[in-house]
Amino acid sequence: MSSGILTSARLRLPGRLRSAYIPVLATAGLLAAMFVAGGVRYTGFASGQVVLNVFIDNAFLLVVAVGMTFVILTGGIDLSVGAVVALSTMVSASLMTDGGWPPLLVVPLVLLIGSALGLAMGCIIHYFDIQPFIVTLAGMFLARGLCYVIGTDSISITDPAYTAVAQARIALPGEMAVSVSVLIAVAVAGAAAYVLHYTRLGRNVYAIGGSEQSALLMGLPVARTKIAVYTISGFCSALGGVLFSLYTLSGYGLNALGMELDAIAAVVIGGTLLTGGSGYLAGTVLGVLVLGLIQTIISFEGTLSSWWTKIFIGLLLFAFILLQRLISARRA
Amino acid sequence: GCGSGGDTTASAGGADDGKITMGFAQVGAESGWRTANTKSIQESAKAAGIELKFSDAQQKQENQIKAIRSYIQQKVDVIAFSPVVESGWDNVLKEAQTAKIPVILTDRAVDSADTSLYKTFLGSDFVEEGRKAGKWLVEEYKDSTDTVNIVELQGTTGSAPANDRKAGFAEVIGAESKFKVIASQTGDFTRAKGKEVMEAFLKSNPDIDVLYAHNDDMGLGAIEAIEGAGKVPGKDIKIITVDAVKDGMQALADGKINFIVECSPILGPQLMDLAKKVVAGEQVPARVLTEETTFTPEQAKAALPTRPY
Amino acid sequence: MAPPAPILQMSGICKEFPGVKALSGVDFRLLPGEVHALMGENGAGKSTLIKVLTGVYDIDGGRITLNGQDVVFAGPLQAQQAGISTVYQEVNLCANLSVAENIFIGREPRRLGRIQWKRMRRRAAELLAGLDLHIDVSAPLSSYSLAVQQMVAIARAVDISARVLILDEPTSSLDSGEVEQLFRVMRRLKAEGIAILFVSHFLDQIYEISDRMTILRNGSLVGEYLTSELGQVELVGKMIGRELADLEKLEDRPPARTSEPLVQTEALGRSGAIEPFTLTVHKGEVVGLAGLLGSGRTEIARLLFGADHASTGALRIDGEPVTLRTPRLAMNRGVAFCSENRRAEGLIPDLTVRENIVLALQAMRGWHRPIPRRTQDELVDKYVAALNIRPADPEQLVRNLSGGNQQKVLLARWLILEPRLLILDEPTRGIDVGAKAEIQRLVAELSDGGMAVLFVSAELEEVLRLSHKVAVLRDRKLVAELPNDDGLTTGVIMETIASGGRA
Amino acid sequence: MTALVRHRLFWPAAVLLLLLAANVAFTPGFLSIEMKDGHLYGSLIDIFRFGAPLILVAIGMTLVIATGGIDLSVGSVVAISGALACLHISGLPDQNDVGGVLTAVGLALGLALVLGAWNGFLVAGIGIQPIIATLIIMVAGRGLAQLITDGQIVTVNSASYKLIGGGYWLTLPFSILIVLAVLALTAFLTRRLALGMLVESIGGNATASRLAGIRSRGLTVAVYAFCALCAGIAGLMISSNVSSADGNNAGLWIELDAILAVVIGGTSLMGGRFSLGGTVLGALVIQTLTTTIYSIGIPPETTLLFKALVVTVVCLVQSPAFREKVFQRRGRRRPAAPQATDDEKVEVPA
Ligand SMILES: Nc1ncnc2c1ncn2[C@@H]1O[C@H](COP(=O)(O)OP(=O)(O)OP(=O)(O)O)[C@@H](O)[C@H]1O
Ligand SMILES: Nc1ncnc2c1ncn2[C@@H]1O[C@H](COP(=O)(O)OP(=O)(O)OP(=O)(O)O)[C@@H](O)[C@H]1O
Ligand SMILES: [Mg+2]
Ligand SMILES: [Mg+2]
């Protein structure tokens, strides 16, 4: 199955570019293989809804990972995403529940806060020439800290409109359904892929990842692009937070703990280089699906103790990465 | 120890209406307490003849939601879970309701307005635990008029037990002005942090009378710190903790801890009983409290030999 | 005839780096429609002047006027917007992007904000065809040799319709053919009234293309001259501040040698890179490799060093068959390789000059046997002096050195190894006349001492001057092996290349 | 003076001093060190003592980062090593038996080395990106630690084991002595021998290093193994300090602190040049910050805000670009008046 995808792609793609797509194609093939293996092993696994559930359960992660893709493509990293997700849920919940604000006001405000935070971090990173790791780590502390300042308890969201959106299911043929979040996430991923491939901003992102020095000397707007990238990541995290609050209908300061690592892992599993300049958004989508599918397999397995769960996740991850690496290395 | 009692009920339940499948979504394995909780549930499920699907959410609500959703997918007979947080369960619980799968909450409650979303809640009341700790303190110092300097080792910031145990304790001691919490800091529920924070407390606060730790482990760490500073735990500084795990009980019996509020992880047998009733469509109380007590050193000495965890 | 008003005027430019005064009070002017050469030794301050002009570095003192107006650029982007298009000295492109993108990035053809990839690729191909380069423009830049990358950089700069075009050593890895193409384009632009600033260490090129030149020495202005009024010897004298005596001496070729073979290849080849070739290098012999851009010279060098793996054939060293799986194994056999791409494959920019020089030697000894500091200092001092590396401070970070000096550091790394076969791929890239003569003398001396050298250079004269025999490549195939006797000239080599060795 | 300010360790050191000063303001006796039962006792000693595991992990992390990699698995290795040692000791008939304790230490460190070598193999041998390669052990290793301890806290009662993390020797905490020994060894290996230069070279330009004949594969594996070894020792220290192994929580998030320490110390995450002294300072800054939070009594809810503030200040102060832009607002963008070209003789063509 996987080799079929690869060979057909080989026929179509022009000369050398083929090798650049191989990691993504390998990932897609392996993902499909993983799904088939799951279907063979567990009853009820091989259904369309299981796949859709992976999307429903990971819509927020997908959005966050999309933002992270931009950052990583420039060779940076954003550790603040998980905390910004939590902050967004907290701000949304407290404003709507305690403040009685309407969602139509709250959501734009939350998106604005996230973007502003990203913008600020981007500016510090660029103008003061400080490593992204440390700046975004400070951003992570800040956002998480603000959550606790708002409150240490979790807050339910009871706004009827918000609840209605959260519970709405868009029916698909075959008795399947997806949530609104999935549509948003897919739209964001599509838009991001377009931006990365078809706009100057996107190409500048790749150029900076290839070599920031060269990009500067080629007369590209390095400052603007770098700052934009962190702003996008901030925006995506805030949007991820909104989706998260739709998912759980609550806000909580300990939400999304460690999500930055999940997002980074998704991006990197998708074949993007952490050093920047190489990778595709499609890879990120696949990376998120891989992580989601691993989770699903674990819950279908159903008999693993807490520690075996972790060991099993590690093993699955290892098997996946190893195969991906071997396939890519052979074909390249 | 508790397995033998469950055996008889198991054969009864199994004979009634085939095998029950339960999906249990555990918070994680963040502490020894939690592990004991998991173990109790797994063992009593086996004993009760209930097929258990278990998943570990690694302290993440989203993972728990995913697990519950997959249980719905797998059409289990009953779902039980210990919520990571109180809020945010309405969606997935509604899905369970639509799929006609009854839900039992364990260990902590959810704050859902719609109580029809779950059948019952089995667990401890963290606020009450805090109150119990406070009451003992008030009782202990009822004859004294001097200020009582208290330091508090909190659990993980933002976590429900930490919030509630702090609130319950504050509620009780707040009534009297002689009780003063002079320092309160998180020790993340771990021994290492408990020790580290306590050492810092001891340096910056020369006269500490009482230590209130949100779990035994932090208390045990703090004891090492107190001993390191040349003071005698249990005498120079009185120590109250929550949980009553074995190591804590030992320290209590040794007089290093003065009072422990029990928070029992052994929910398994009660949970299995409830599950059977719920599946059979019987009426169950909306709230079932675990049987919990408090321990003084004497009680600890008596209870220690039979302590299962 | 009064000269037209200068389009660009720089006066009293000063620039200081920690510990180095790179420019002190330099005046410079550029007239429309001229090709102006900026001359000077390695480290004289040419690149710094260009970078100060285009806003890469902040200026410490002095002023710049463009078209009579005072300007200060905050960065290359602004300079480009003001009509100054620049090719900087090191190839500053993004190797991860395709060739077409490298040419057009920042100026992609768009419709409604959407990049038109097809159109971009087509235009890129046309543009390169104008420079007589026919390659797949959708392939990533990294899949091409440095020379191709240099051509791409030139294509990019030329296509930006600018009033001022700056080319900082654009020809350092180009063959005469490509240089001709470049000059053709430059003449056309010049006729259109564009002012061109040109830097090169090839005097022939300077005399061929430039109208006027400005000479720098040690960061200060020596003077501005009309090219037609300044002879080569005088020029060199002004650049290095003394007469270059031994330039002539190197014109006599070293005598041919016969001795036992050191390295022999038998139909060694690598699919897709170089067709199987058979070549023997004897002890103490200098073998030159000649060929056009992309003819496979670098590929041969890499195979002999184990940097790439051969897919066919056999290799013998001292008559013993060997497989070189890693460069390290080649080094153990006494083979050393100085890469043409000093930035990507040579230098460790964050390490000091000293560390970069002793790196290979240290690697050979292993981490547990450090080279005593005193030995290090002796070795480093010797080569800093011999190659005239400036600033002569071994503790300077190598990234802060000028391009030519970096190249010398790289050479020193391999020379101190005293290998039995030294493979030099474009070793004199970006090196000034004085140092070039010194390096050629060193190579000749070492080969007299019994070291074999495989010498690759885009400059055929240099190859001819040094080699005992010349291997000619074409289309990734070894087509001829010519002994360097009196009958061999650059013309003969060019003919051999053209005819594919059948003549 | 300027040479002092220019030194790359100046700014981390300045921040450390500032934090200490803040402590003195709140706790007057902060700097005092007294003798208690023949041990040195005081807040400063505590900072070193509690910072010891972090310093150790950060030293290993420094080398990994210098090769251009990163190691996320250190936290799990900390947990595993402590768990294995405690499990072995708790099974001993006599827990104070020095031979038994040494066996336990050997087992734990041996396993740590194996895990580190595995990481190195994935990175250098198979070519998996370091962050993902080490993520595998980070996730699975935590499970392994819990498997070893059965999810419970394994308590030991061994005076000999207690020495490692909680004991004293020659009036000094033994853990500090261990750190000093490891630091000295690392400094010797990297700065006296040529290891440091080769590692920096790999991180600075991997391709060039290969072509210069450096055996980067072996070195990389060794560096990851060393990092895991350091984490293993740290794990022993942490578990010995509280005489128990907590497979669930030991070493949680320590990778983040360790990386932060390395970065504060001035080593770039891109690899290349590294500074061991900077790393030690960075780790001390982090530990002092924690102590400051306890002693000033910052409530847990605002702890993170305080941390965010300090980290921001630390990185701003360390940034030359920031100091230039804020402290010395020279009008560098203003075009300066043309200077008369002086002494140099300038020839002008006729
Ligand atoms: N970033 C820097 N930091 C410190 N010194 C520098 C820096 N850049 C250049 N220099 C120094 O400035 C001087 C001039 O360098 P520049 O690159 O302008 O020389 P160049 O004339 O272009 O030489 P080449 O012909 O070798 O390219 C050299 O001594 C160099 O060491
Ligand atoms: N004109 C060209 N057409 C297609 N590919 C080319 C061309 N020139 C170079 N290349 C690519 O560059 C790679 C390197 O070629 P190589 O380094 O062997 O050239 P070379 O003979 O050393 O010449 P130079 O270094 O001057 O370019 C080749 O593998 C080839 O893919
Ligand atoms: Mg230059
Ligand atoms: Mg070449």
Side-chain angles (χ1 to χ4, degrees), chain C residues 314-329:
Chain C
L315 177 67
R316 284 172 189 279
I317 298 182
D318 293 324
E320 219 184 294
V322 290
T323 359
L324 300 176
R325 263 174 290 108
T326 62
R328 180 54 185 276
L329 293 175

PDB file of all heavy atoms in Angstrom, chain C residues 314-329:
ATOM      1  N   ALA C 314      37.960   0.181  -8.729  1.00  0.00           N
ATOM      2  CA  ALA C 314      38.828  -0.089  -7.589  1.00  0.00           C
ATOM      3  C   ALA C 314      39.844   1.031  -7.443  1.00  0.00           C
ATOM      4  O   ALA C 314      40.149   1.760  -8.379  1.00  0.00           O
ATOM      5  CB  ALA C 314      39.554  -1.417  -7.791  1.00  0.00           C
ATOM      6  N   LEU C 315      40.322   1.146  -6.229  1.00  0.00           N
ATOM      7  CA  LEU C 315      41.303   2.180  -5.921  1.00  0.00           C
ATOM      8  C   LEU C 315      42.487   1.509  -5.249  1.00  0.00           C
ATOM      9  O   LEU C 315      42.321   0.636  -4.402  1.00  0.00           O
ATOM     10  CB  LEU C 315      40.658   3.212  -4.986  1.00  0.00           C
ATOM     11  CG  LEU C 315      41.537   4.342  -4.472  1.00  0.00           C
ATOM     12  CD1 LEU C 315      41.932   5.263  -5.619  1.00  0.00           C
ATOM     13  CD2 LEU C 315      40.810   5.133  -3.400  1.00  0.00           C
ATOM     14  N   ARG C 316      43.676   1.898  -5.673  1.00  0.00           N
ATOM     15  CA  ARG C 316      44.857   1.350  -5.012  1.00  0.00           C
ATOM     16  C   ARG C 316      45.705   2.492  -4.479  1.00  0.00           C
ATOM     17  O   ARG C 316      45.903   3.498  -5.166  1.00  0.00           O
ATOM     18  CB  ARG C 316      45.736   0.590  -6.036  1.00  0.00           C
ATOM     19  CG  ARG C 316      45.220  -0.739  -6.408  1.00  0.00           C
ATOM     20  CD  ARG C 316      46.061  -1.283  -7.558  1.00  0.00           C
ATOM     21  NE  ARG C 316      45.450  -2.483  -8.082  1.00  0.00           N
ATOM     22  CZ  ARG C 316      45.604  -3.668  -7.516  1.00  0.00           C
ATOM     23  NH1 ARG C 316      46.384  -3.812  -6.445  1.00  0.00           N
ATOM     24  NH2 ARG C 316      45.009  -4.728  -8.027  1.00  0.00           N
ATOM     25  N   ILE C 317      46.176   2.316  -3.285  1.00  0.00           N
ATOM     26  CA  ILE C 317      47.146   3.260  -2.745  1.00  0.00           C
ATOM     27  C   ILE C 317      48.379   2.454  -2.400  1.00  0.00           C
ATOM     28  O   ILE C 317      48.273   1.426  -1.724  1.00  0.00           O
ATOM     29  CB  ILE C 317      46.592   3.980  -1.498  1.00  0.00           C
ATOM     30  CG1 ILE C 317      45.349   4.788  -1.891  1.00  0.00           C
ATOM     31  CG2 ILE C 317      47.657   4.897  -0.901  1.00  0.00           C
ATOM     32  CD1 ILE C 317      44.726   5.578  -0.776  1.00  0.00           C
ATOM     33  N   ASP C 318      49.519   2.881  -2.904  1.00  0.00           N
ATOM     34  CA  ASP C 318      50.761   2.120  -2.760  1.00  0.00           C
ATOM     35  C   ASP C 318      50.578   0.720  -3.319  1.00  0.00           C
ATOM     36  O   ASP C 318      51.094  -0.245  -2.753  1.00  0.00           O
ATOM     37  CB  ASP C 318      51.180   2.013  -1.285  1.00  0.00           C
ATOM     38  CG  ASP C 318      51.574   3.348  -0.713  1.00  0.00           C
ATOM     39  OD1 ASP C 318      52.178   4.145  -1.468  1.00  0.00           O
ATOM     40  OD2 ASP C 318      51.269   3.609   0.465  1.00  0.00           O
ATOM     41  N   GLY C 319      49.787   0.591  -4.352  1.00  0.00           N
ATOM     42  CA  GLY C 319      49.583  -0.703  -4.973  1.00  0.00           C
ATOM     43  C   GLY C 319      48.627  -1.614  -4.220  1.00  0.00           C
ATOM     44  O   GLY C 319      48.302  -2.703  -4.644  1.00  0.00           O
ATOM     45  N   GLU C 320      48.138  -1.146  -3.083  1.00  0.00           N
ATOM     46  CA  GLU C 320      47.285  -1.971  -2.248  1.00  0.00           C
ATOM     47  C   GLU C 320      45.838  -1.570  -2.496  1.00  0.00           C
ATOM     48  O   GLU C 320      45.524  -0.388  -2.440  1.00  0.00           O
ATOM     49  CB  GLU C 320      47.627  -1.642  -0.804  1.00  0.00           C
ATOM     50  CG  GLU C 320      47.658  -2.800   0.152  1.00  0.00           C
ATOM     51  CD  GLU C 320      47.924  -2.260   1.554  1.00  0.00           C
ATOM     52  OE1 GLU C 320      49.040  -1.737   1.773  1.00  0.00           O
ATOM     53  OE2 GLU C 320      47.001  -2.310   2.364  1.00  0.00           O
ATOM     54  N   PRO C 321      44.950  -2.512  -2.763  1.00  0.00           N
ATOM     55  CA  PRO C 321      43.551  -2.098  -2.989  1.00  0.00           C
ATOM     56  C   PRO C 321      42.916  -1.611  -1.683  1.00  0.00           C
ATOM     57  O   PRO C 321      43.103  -2.232  -0.627  1.00  0.00           O
ATOM     58  CB  PRO C 321      42.867  -3.370  -3.485  1.00  0.00           C
ATOM     59  CG  PRO C 321      43.769  -4.483  -3.133  1.00  0.00           C
ATOM     60  CD  PRO C 321      45.148  -3.948  -2.916  1.00  0.00           C
ATOM     61  N   VAL C 322      42.208  -0.493  -1.756  1.00  0.00           N
ATOM     62  CA  VAL C 322      41.564   0.042  -0.549  1.00  0.00           C
ATOM     63  C   VAL C 322      40.146   0.484  -0.887  1.00  0.00           C
ATOM     64  O   VAL C 322      39.840   0.809  -2.027  1.00  0.00           O
ATOM     65  CB  VAL C 322      42.319   1.271   0.015  1.00  0.00           C
ATOM     66  CG1 VAL C 322      43.639   0.881   0.598  1.00  0.00           C
ATOM     67  CG2 VAL C 322      42.484   2.332  -1.054  1.00  0.00           C
ATOM     68  N   THR C 323      39.299   0.450   0.124  1.00  0.00           N
ATOM     69  CA  THR C 323      37.977   1.072  -0.021  1.00  0.00           C
ATOM     70  C   THR C 323      37.931   2.205   0.996  1.00  0.00           C
ATOM     71  O   THR C 323      38.150   1.981   2.190  1.00  0.00           O
ATOM     72  CB  THR C 323      36.833   0.096   0.317  1.00  0.00           C
ATOM     73  OG1 THR C 323      37.399  -1.154   0.656  1.00  0.00           O
ATOM     74  CG2 THR C 323      35.827  -0.001  -0.783  1.00  0.00           C
ATOM     75  N   LEU C 324      37.657   3.390   0.530  1.00  0.00           N
ATOM     76  CA  LEU C 324      37.626   4.532   1.434  1.00  0.00           C
ATOM     77  C   LEU C 324      36.178   4.802   1.819  1.00  0.00           C
ATOM     78  O   LEU C 324      35.440   5.416   1.074  1.00  0.00           O
ATOM     79  CB  LEU C 324      38.223   5.757   0.755  1.00  0.00           C
ATOM     80  CG  LEU C 324      39.681   5.595   0.308  1.00  0.00           C
ATOM     81  CD1 LEU C 324      40.132   6.822  -0.443  1.00  0.00           C
ATOM     82  CD2 LEU C 324      40.577   5.334   1.491  1.00  0.00           C
ATOM     83  N   ARG C 325      35.793   4.296   2.994  1.00  0.00           N
ATOM     84  CA  ARG C 325      34.417   4.501   3.409  1.00  0.00           C
ATOM     85  C   ARG C 325      34.210   5.869   4.034  1.00  0.00           C
ATOM     86  O   ARG C 325      33.145   6.448   3.948  1.00  0.00           O
ATOM     87  CB  ARG C 325      33.969   3.387   4.364  1.00  0.00           C
ATOM     88  CG  ARG C 325      33.213   2.288   3.654  1.00  0.00           C
ATOM     89  CD  ARG C 325      32.911   1.117   4.573  1.00  0.00           C
ATOM     90  NE  ARG C 325      34.125   0.392   4.916  1.00  0.00           N
ATOM     91  CZ  ARG C 325      34.709   0.424   6.113  1.00  0.00           C
ATOM     92  NH1 ARG C 325      34.186   1.127   7.075  1.00  0.00           N
ATOM     93  NH2 ARG C 325      35.804  -0.254   6.333  1.00  0.00           N
ATOM     94  N   THR C 326      35.241   6.381   4.679  1.00  0.00           N
ATOM     95  CA  THR C 326      35.118   7.714   5.272  1.00  0.00           C
ATOM     96  C   THR C 326      36.377   8.517   4.941  1.00  0.00           C
ATOM     97  O   THR C 326      37.426   7.948   4.647  1.00  0.00           O
ATOM     98  CB  THR C 326      35.015   7.646   6.805  1.00  0.00           C
ATOM     99  OG1 THR C 326      36.222   7.065   7.295  1.00  0.00           O
ATOM    100  CG2 THR C 326      33.833   6.815   7.257  1.00  0.00           C
ATOM    101  N   PRO C 327      36.261   9.833   4.998  1.00  0.00           N
ATOM    102  CA  PRO C 327      37.437  10.672   4.787  1.00  0.00           C
ATOM    103  C   PRO C 327      38.554  10.293   5.745  1.00  0.00           C
ATOM    104  O   PRO C 327      39.731  10.349   5.402  1.00  0.00           O
ATOM    105  CB  PRO C 327      36.914  12.070   5.110  1.00  0.00           C
ATOM    106  CG  PRO C 327      35.469  12.018   4.843  1.00  0.00           C
ATOM    107  CD  PRO C 327      35.043  10.634   5.187  1.00  0.00           C
ATOM    108  N   ARG C 328      38.152   9.869   6.936  1.00  0.00           N
ATOM    109  CA  ARG C 328      39.159   9.548   7.920  1.00  0.00           C
ATOM    110  C   ARG C 328      40.078   8.423   7.457  1.00  0.00           C
ATOM    111  O   ARG C 328      41.295   8.445   7.664  1.00  0.00           O
ATOM    112  CB  ARG C 328      38.437   9.161   9.205  1.00  0.00           C
ATOM    113  CG  ARG C 328      39.330   8.790  10.320  1.00  0.00           C
ATOM    114  CD  ARG C 328      40.343   9.919  10.544  1.00  0.00           C
ATOM    115  NE  ARG C 328      41.281   9.500  11.535  1.00  0.00           N
ATOM    116  CZ  ARG C 328      41.063   9.601  12.825  1.00  0.00           C
ATOM    117  NH1 ARG C 328      39.964  10.158  13.235  1.00  0.00           N
ATOM    118  NH2 ARG C 328      41.936   9.175  13.682  1.00  0.00           N
ATOM    119  N   LEU C 329      39.482   7.424   6.772  1.00  0.00           N
ATOM    120  CA  LEU C 329      40.305   6.318   6.284  1.00  0.00           C
ATOM    121  C   LEU C 329      41.281   6.816   5.238  1.00  0.00           C
ATOM    122  O   LEU C 329      42.432   6.377   5.183  1.00  0.00           O
ATOM    123  CB  LEU C 329      39.410   5.220   5.712  1.00  0.00           C
ATOM    124  CG  LEU C 329      38.547   4.522   6.766  1.00  0.00           C
ATOM    125  CD1 LEU C 329      37.591   3.542   6.114  1.00  0.00           C
ATOM    126  CD2 LEU C 329      39.452   3.801   7.755  1.00  0.00           C
TER     127      LEU C 329
END
